[in-house]
Amino acid sequence: MSSKQDKIKRMLEMQKKFSELDRANGVSAEEYFTPEDGSELDGYREEYSKLATEVIADAHAEKGSHE
């Protein structure tokens, strides 16, 4: 993904999917922090964190407030 808006869109999609999963089945702390390989939450935290970090860096770059 290249643009900040694309990253934000992906993050919102991920949040929506997580909320739907939580409402339907509930999500335990164990499932969230140590998901099983191949589960719906496998890689979720890592991808979300990476996108959030990139969005912050993009915003700083736009404003010239961070090197």
Side-chain angles (χ1 to χ4, degrees):
M1 284 181 215
S2 57
S3 81
K4 183 176 75 172
Q5 290 303 318
D6 289 339
K7 293 170 189 171
I8 292 169
K9 181 179 177 183
R10 174 67 181 140
M11 291 172 70
L12 292 171
E13 290 167 355
M14 291 176 71
Q15 288 175 355
K16 181 180 177 186
K17 184 176 179 182
F18 178 86
S19 293
E20 290 169 353
L21 179 65
D22 189 36
R23 277 193 297 274
N25 305 320
V27 175
S28 70
E30 183 178 0
E31 291 171 314
Y32 182 74
F33 288 103
T34 56
E36 293 182 16
D37 290 343
S39 75
E40 291 184 75
L41 293 176
D42 186 21
Y44 176 87
R45 287 186 325 112
E46 294 82 3
E47 180 181 359
Y48 194 89
S49 178
K50 179 181 179 245
L51 288 169
T53 300
E54 290 175 5
V55 167
I56 291 168
D58 292 347
H60 281 297
E62 286 176 7
K63 295 296 180 184
S65 61
H66 195 265
E67 293 181 17

